[in-house]
Amino acid sequence: MSLKLIIQLAAIALFMGAIPLIINAYRGNKLGLHHLSSITLFITFDLVLFGAFTRLTDSGLGCPDWPGCYGHSNPLLASEQISLAQSQMPFGPVTESKAWIEMLHRYFASGVGFLILSIAILSWTNRKKIEKWITNLAIGLFFLVCLQGAFGAFTVTLKLQPIIVTIHLLLALLLLMGLVVFNHATHLNYRELKKDPKYLRVHTIGLLMVCSIQIFLGAWVSTNYAVLACQDFPSCNGSFMPPMDFQNGFTFWRELGKTVTGDYLPIQALIAIHWLHRVFAAIVFLSVITFYFNYRKLSLSGSSNWHLILRKWLKILVGLVVLQFVTGISNVVLNWPLIAALIHTGGAALLIITATKLLLLASPKPNY
């Protein structure tokens, strides 16, 4: 990796991260920690969607090296190598459009890294004015985004190995959760709760865990390209218990499309991956509906700001689980349309954000 490439990519990261800050300054908004984290949270969510778009358009290897594209900072400079690769495999992983999609994803990711670095620096410089754990969280977010970048590199160098791509997505969602907590804690109306709704907190932790397991299973379906392994609904290829191979399907350390011995992955393994995701989707749906009706009465028991916010997030939670159900079915019956797949990924990210907000609302410390 040349020094020139590093400098060029660093300049792009600075440019991408500075754009939202310049827009913010142009609008005359003050850039405090809360406002900066709100911007970063929004852009990180968009990056998760763009990462899904990169994966769903098979652009993950559009540039088969990292961090540049054939050793260059952009596909224009690598046009000769890209054209050669495309001429040899016209429908292969390397094309001009896929190279641009892959590099744009990296550019946006570097911009998010710049914003989170800015949050860490600003938190450190204001550490005497804010609680120590908030500063530590900001520093932790910076290390987390660096780890996420490393898994982005592994995604390319290990040729889209399913477990690596899955971890890459899960780390992105963990980053979203951390940003939600930071954004919540730096709100101007942050204060101590007068009561500790412990059952709400315990049940929200359980809900968050159930949603996280389902998102892992969904990511495992996507990274193994098992979405169409079951081609009908509610049955799977005409049966509610089709032949399945869980051993090969859930062997995590293996190449894409291969068993651990190097043979092609049997269709029964893909069916097992898809089927388990469906079964757990029913568990999540029932968990969310149960959670909603358990705490709807609590949200209606008062008219305070806390009750109003609880009511709002409960409604969002139910709306999101319905959205996930509809888009999940449409991925099967409509033959995996790109827009439905993107909405399904975005819904999963929003589900994690919502569960995190509910957990914060149920915590004995931070609240609006």
Side-chain angles (χ1 to χ4, degrees):
M1 190 189 307
S2 67
L3 179 61
K4 180 181 178 181
L5 175 62
I6 295 174
I7 293 174
Q8 289 175 342
L9 292 175
I12 291 172
L14 178 62
F15 174 76
M16 296 299 295
I19 288 176
L21 303 186
I22 292 171
I23 294 173
N24 181 77
Y26 178 76
R27 291 178 176 177
N29 297 322
K30 293 182 179 180
L31 194 64
L33 280 172
H34 178 74
H35 199 67
L36 178 57
S37 63
S38 297
I39 294 170
T40 306
L41 177 60
F42 175 76
I43 296 176
T44 303
F45 174 77
D46 292 335
L47 179 61
V48 170
L49 288 182
F50 197 83
F53 178 76
T54 302
R55 183 177 68 257
L56 293 166
T57 54
D58 294 323
S59 302
L61 296 178
C63 289
D65 55 335
W66 191 92
C69 189
Y70 288 99
H72 298 286
S73 61
N74 66 78
L76 285 178
L77 298 176
S79 58
E80 184 177 343
Q81 294 94 327
I82 294 171
S83 297
L84 178 61
Q86 188 170 354
S87 65
Q88 294 174 346
M89 295 182 65
F91 300 101
V94 179
T95 66
E96 185 176 348
S97 60
K98 289 179 180 179
W100 272 110
I101 292 171
E102 169 66 2
M103 287 307 295
L104 283 173
H105 177 58
R106 295 183 194 180
Y107 296 158
F108 292 146
S110 65
V112 168
F114 172 82
L115 289 171
I116 291 178
L117 175 61
S118 301
I119 288 174
I121 293 173
L122 191 58
S123 298
W124 179 256
T125 55
N126 289 277
R127 62 189 181 278
K128 294 182 179 179
K129 301 177 183 178
I130 59 177
E131 294 182 44
K132 184 178 179 180
W133 74 270
I134 298 178
T135 301
N136 292 337
L137 175 60
I139 295 171
L141 288 173
F142 173 70
F143 283 107
L144 180 57
V145 80
C146 290
L147 180 62
Q148 173 71 341
F151 271 88
F154 297 151
T155 295
V156 176
T157 57
L158 294 177
K159 308 300 180 186
L160 305 182
Q161 188 166 333
I163 190 62
I164 298 298
V165 181
T166 299
I167 293 174
H168 189 51
L169 174 60
L170 295 179
L171 287 174
L173 297 180
L174 184 60
L175 188 63
L176 275 177
M177 289 176 62
L179 286 168
V180 169
V181 174
F182 187 89
N183 182 258
H184 187 91
T186 53
H187 193 274
L188 289 176
N189 292 328
Y190 167 84
R191 68 169 186 267
E192 297 287 327
L193 269 178
K194 294 181 180 179
K195 59 180 179 178
D196 179 6
K198 61 180 179 179
Y199 292 112
L200 175 58
R201 187 168 70 255
V202 170
H203 291 165
T204 307
I205 291 172
L207 180 66
L208 190 57
M209 291 176 64
V210 169
C211 290
S212 298
I213 292 171
Q214 176 64 353
I215 288 171
F216 169 79
L217 292 173
W220 194 240
V221 169
S222 181
T223 56
N224 281 280
Y225 295 88
V227 175
L228 299 179
C230 295
Q231 298 187 353
D232 54 350
F233 184 87
S235 63
C236 176
N237 302 330
S239 173
F240 286 99
M241 286 294 293
M244 290 178 279
D245 180 358
F246 284 96
Q247 182 176 352
N248 282 313
F250 289 91
T251 298
F252 296 121
W253 191 260
R254 55 175 173 77
E255 294 181 40
L256 175 63
K258 300 288 185 69
T259 66
V260 71
T261 58
D263 298 321
Y264 286 109
L265 199 65
I267 184 62
Q268 291 80 8
L270 299 179
I271 291 172
I273 294 170
H274 184 117
W275 184 86
L276 188 60
H277 181 55
R278 280 195 189 187
V279 170
F280 214 82
I283 295 173
V284 171
F285 187 83
L286 291 174
S287 298
V288 168
I289 297 303
T290 302
F291 185 91
Y292 174 78
F293 282 108
N294 276 347
Y295 292 104
R296 181 175 178 271
K297 186 176 181 180
L298 174 62
S299 72
L300 295 172
S301 64
S303 57
S304 68
N305 202 29
W306 186 87
H307 290 90
L308 293 175
I309 294 172
L310 176 62
R311 200 177 309 160
K312 178 186 74 173
W313 285 106
L314 284 174
K315 291 178 181 178
I316 292 173
L317 180 68
V318 171
L320 285 172
V321 80
V322 172
L323 175 69
Q324 289 302 88
F325 183 75
V326 172
T327 54
I329 294 174
S330 67
N331 280 332
V332 175
V333 300
L334 298 179
N335 202 31
W336 202 13
L338 178 61
I339 185 64
L342 285 174
I343 293 173
H344 198 60
T345 301
L350 289 173
L351 200 58
I352 285 294
I353 289 174
T354 301
T356 305
K357 290 293 290 186
L358 284 167
L359 181 59
L360 290 168
L361 195 61
S363 299
K365 287 192 79 175
N367 185 41
Y368 294 132

